[in-house]
Amino acid sequence: MAVFKVEGGHRLRGEITPQGAKNEALQILCATLLTPQRVVVRNIPRILDVMQLIELLRCMGVEVEQLAEDAYAFCARDIDFEYLKSDDYRQRCTRLRGSVMLIGPMLARFGVGYIPKPGGDKIGRRRLDTHFLGFQKLGAKFNFDIADEFFMVEGRELKGTYMLLDEASVTGTANIVMAAVMAKGRTTIYNAACEPYLQQLCKMLNRMGAKISGIASNLLEIEGVEALGGTEHRLLPDMIEVGSFIGMAAMNRSELTIKDVSFENLGIIPAQFARMGIRFEQRGDDIHIPQQDHYSIDTFLDGSIMTIADAPWPGLTPDLLSIFLVVATQANGAVLIHQKMFESRLFFVDKLIDMGAQIILCDPHRATVIGHDHRLCLRATRMTSPDIRAGVALLIAAMSAEGVSTIQNIDQIDRGYKDIDGRLNALGAKITRIDDCK
Ligand SMILES: CC(=O)N[C@H]1[C@@H](OP(=O)(O)OP(=O)(O)OC[C@H]2O[C@@H](n3ccc(=O)[nH]c3=O)[C@H](O)[C@@H]2O)O[C@H](CO)[C@@H](O)[C@@H]1O
Ligand SMILES: C=C(OP(=O)(O)O)C(=O)O
């Protein structure tokens, strides 16, 4: 398993361009199954999860052509349903969360879909009820083999209907939208998730011939159509990478320009960093973070300790809370980080505490952080990346620490961040990747 050796204390300087969005890529790639025609996708990030999904599509029988470093064409003329019964299919699906979104398009186009329990970050319970309740509302039959952890849906004649989702699930909404685009009649989805990932998916589906309105809201109306055609699509920059870089610059007292961030699609993210006391400037579509020796966390109006909590979009994405947490360890002031959605995403704070951070883990969902204001430097240590975002939070901590840290299990980071060591080293970081470390 590869590891990173990180020599701390090197400030960053320069420009960095975010990769295409991981979670959007996973939706868009699954949507290519909805048409026998060619779909071209650009700005695809070369990260483990995305490359694995492309490979999975290929194994399913989709013709995949690489057009450029970050552009691929997909043509899903047919699907090899025999392959879907194989161990190989099962193994590949369990490597990533995004594979769950293959089932909605399969159901829409072929009337059946199979999927094993997907993989992804082990960050707490990750139920799939919303997905399958939605398919059932559309008239599909659902079968779950609990021993085998295998989901099956069947429905040759899906019918549009009204549904109120039991939660605003991101992948659940994407799956149901993709299942509904070719259903007979009108589907109304209330309490839909509406992250930019979903907005992008719906826009792409409309370009393919779908009739979806209410995009960017939690009320989607879908008028079913007979068939979808090909299109071209460009992924947005990854807002989680943008947030990670803002946090990294602040914690390492670095000057950084993040290029082409698609500011209008960042939602509340910049404002939340501003509440952490981090200064930045919007320059066209870039974000410039000046070098700053201190940043002071706001309090609430009544003077009480600020809370940073996740919420469905347009609230703050849970995928950035680990970054806010690590950045707070060197802020002036205190903050309560409240991870409402996932119950196992904050345990990595143990490592930060070992490094000298002042954190009290109140319970699995809440951690109070009292910043050092750089009066005390974190100490280097040996750590393991438990999930994508905690992995990057630990990387940020290691980059700011005194001495050389080791981060194991960096595959977790590679799942979501393209060539992170190469790109950060180009800005002045000292990160060495050691492959096949025993
Ligand atoms: C591949 C992909 O796109 N993964 C993202 C997707 O995962 P994913 O689609 O799996 O996550 P969901 O949106 O389904 O739900 C995430 C968690 O939040 C809880 N929940 C969800 C909605 C809600 O209104 N209330 C609530 O408590 C769920 O019970 C679940 O535990 O969305 C998550 C939430 O933004 C992100 O962390 C993941 O990076
Ligand atoms: C939780 C995440 O990913 P996944 O849903 O793919 O596990 C993430 O991107 O932070």
Side-chain angles (χ1 to χ4, degrees):
M1 198 71 86
V3 304
F4 279 155
K5 290 257 182 236
V6 185
E7 190 179 299
H10 298 281
R11 296 194 185 190
L12 309 179
R13 194 182 180 86
E15 293 182 347
I16 192 159
T17 304
Q19 66 188 22
K22 160 186 167 278
N23 289 346
E24 181 188 337
L26 300 173
Q27 298 191 7
I28 297 293
L29 293 176
C30 291
T32 63
L33 290 179
L34 284 164
T35 175
Q37 294 183 13
R38 185 176 155 99
V39 178
V40 173
V41 186
R42 302 189 189 280
N43 202 24
I44 292 188
R46 290 196 76 77
I47 55 178
L48 220 51
D49 270 22
V50 167
M51 290 303 125
Q52 281 181 343
L53 183 55
I54 293 177
E55 215 30 56
L56 178 53
L57 287 168
R58 205 194 295 268
C59 293
M60 289 168 71
V62 178
E63 291 162 36
V64 179
E65 186 190 343
Q66 184 166 9
L67 306 174
E69 156 86 13
D70 66 348
Y72 286 78
F74 302 87
C75 191
R77 260 182 258 283
D78 227 329
I79 281 188
D80 177 358
F81 275 91
E82 274 309 301
Y83 174 72
L84 302 191
K85 295 176 190 151
S86 70
D87 282 346
D88 191 64
Y89 176 62
R90 196 175 273 266
Q91 276 164 23
R92 287 180 186 274
C93 285
T94 52
R95 287 184 197 146
L96 71 151
R97 181 76 181 166
S99 61
V100 72
M101 291 178 290
L102 294 168
I103 196 163
M106 274 194 248
L107 178 64
R109 178 137 169 250
F110 303 100
V112 286
Y114 312 110
I115 200 87
K117 192 165 171 233
D121 275 342
K122 305 279 178 279
I123 48 186
R125 293 188 305 156
R126 304 193 71 177
R127 65 193 184 88
L128 292 171
D129 305 49
T130 311
H131 302 233
F132 295 102
L133 289 170
F135 297 150
Q136 283 174 295
K137 278 265 181 189
L138 291 170
K141 285 207 178 68
F142 167 57
N143 198 333
F144 175 43
D145 183 337
I146 200 159
D148 222 14
E149 296 196 311
F150 205 69
F151 302 92
M152 284 162 277
V153 283
E154 210 175 308
R156 307 271 164 194
E157 293 237 325
L158 299 184
K159 281 203 185 64
T161 185
Y162 171 87
M163 62 179 95
L164 170 56
L165 303 189
D166 71 332
E167 61 175 21
S169 165
V170 174
T171 53
T173 304
N175 236 341
I176 296 166
V177 167
M178 291 190 277
V181 281
M182 290 190 274
K184 273 217 163 9
R186 168 176 285 245
T187 303
T188 304
I189 308 174
Y190 195 23
N191 197 25
C194 59
E195 276 72 4
Y197 316 134
L198 274 151
Q199 299 174 29
Q200 286 283 98
L201 173 71
C202 291
K203 286 180 194 163
M204 172 171 114
L205 294 173
N206 278 351
R207 285 199 305 277
M208 293 167 77
K211 291 190 177 152
I212 307 172
S213 56
I215 298 175
S217 80
N218 67 352
L219 182 65
L220 294 174
E221 301 276 359
I222 304 169
E223 205 60 64
V225 295
E226 282 292 313
L228 297 186
T231 190
E232 294 221 0
H233 181 83
R234 186 177 175 82
L235 302 173
L236 284 176
D238 196 316
M239 61 181 181
I240 314 298
E241 250 210 5
V242 173
S244 307
F245 294 148
I246 296 175
M248 191 178 284
M251 176 107 167
N252 286 290
R253 291 176 279 183
S254 300
E255 182 181 340
L256 205 61
T257 301
I258 311 170
K259 302 290 292 174
D260 304 324
V261 298
S262 188
F263 202 92
E264 61 175 348
N265 284 299
L266 295 178
I268 205 170
I269 295 169
Q272 288 288 14
F273 279 108
R275 295 213 82 180
M276 295 283 292
I278 296 166
R279 281 187 290 119
F280 56 82
E281 207 182 296
Q282 186 184 351
R283 294 183 176 168
D285 211 17
D286 302 342
I287 291 181
H288 175 75
I289 302 126
Q291 195 246 305
Q292 48 203 309
D293 288 330
H294 304 277
Y295 44 98
S296 298
I297 304 175
D298 262 1
T299 56
F300 284 130
L301 282 180
D302 60 4
S304 61
I305 292 179
M306 196 173 61
T307 301
I308 293 191
D310 56 348
W313 193 270
L316 184 64
T317 164
D319 296 346
L320 276 175
L321 285 201
S322 310
I323 309 296
F324 279 100
L325 192 151
V326 74
V327 171
T329 64
Q330 286 299 4
N332 172 28
V335 65
L336 175 69
I337 301 287
H338 194 164
Q339 169 69 255
K340 294 184 181 173
M341 293 196 194
F342 297 104
E343 59 264 11
S344 313
R345 220 174 185 178
L346 292 183
F347 294 132
F348 78 101
V349 302
D350 278 357
K351 270 297 152 200
L352 297 177
I353 294 168
D354 283 352
M355 294 173 87
Q358 295 192 125
I359 305 171
I360 297 167
L361 186 61
C362 315
D363 59 48
H365 287 278
R366 295 178 305 156
T368 305
V369 187
I370 299 155
H372 282 304
D373 195 20
H374 290 293
R375 281 188 296 268
L376 188 140
C377 201
L378 296 186
R379 298 179 292 271
T381 190
R382 199 177 173 81
M383 45 202 153
T384 294
S385 169
D387 66 73
I388 308 180
R389 311 302 169 192
V392 168
L394 292 174
L395 178 63
I396 294 174
M399 286 165 69
S400 83
E402 218 162 46
V404 178
S405 298
T406 306
I407 307 180
Q408 293 171 314
N409 202 23
I410 59 167
D411 273 17
Q412 279 298 336
I413 302 177
D414 290 337
R415 280 185 50 215
Y417 293 82
K418 176 179 82 171
D419 182 26
I420 191 74
D421 42 330
R423 290 155 81 208
L424 296 179
N425 286 342
L427 298 171
K430 284 252 167 9
I431 305 168
T432 312
R433 178 183 291 262
I434 303 169
D435 285 319
D436 295 324
C437 205
K438 300 278 179 293

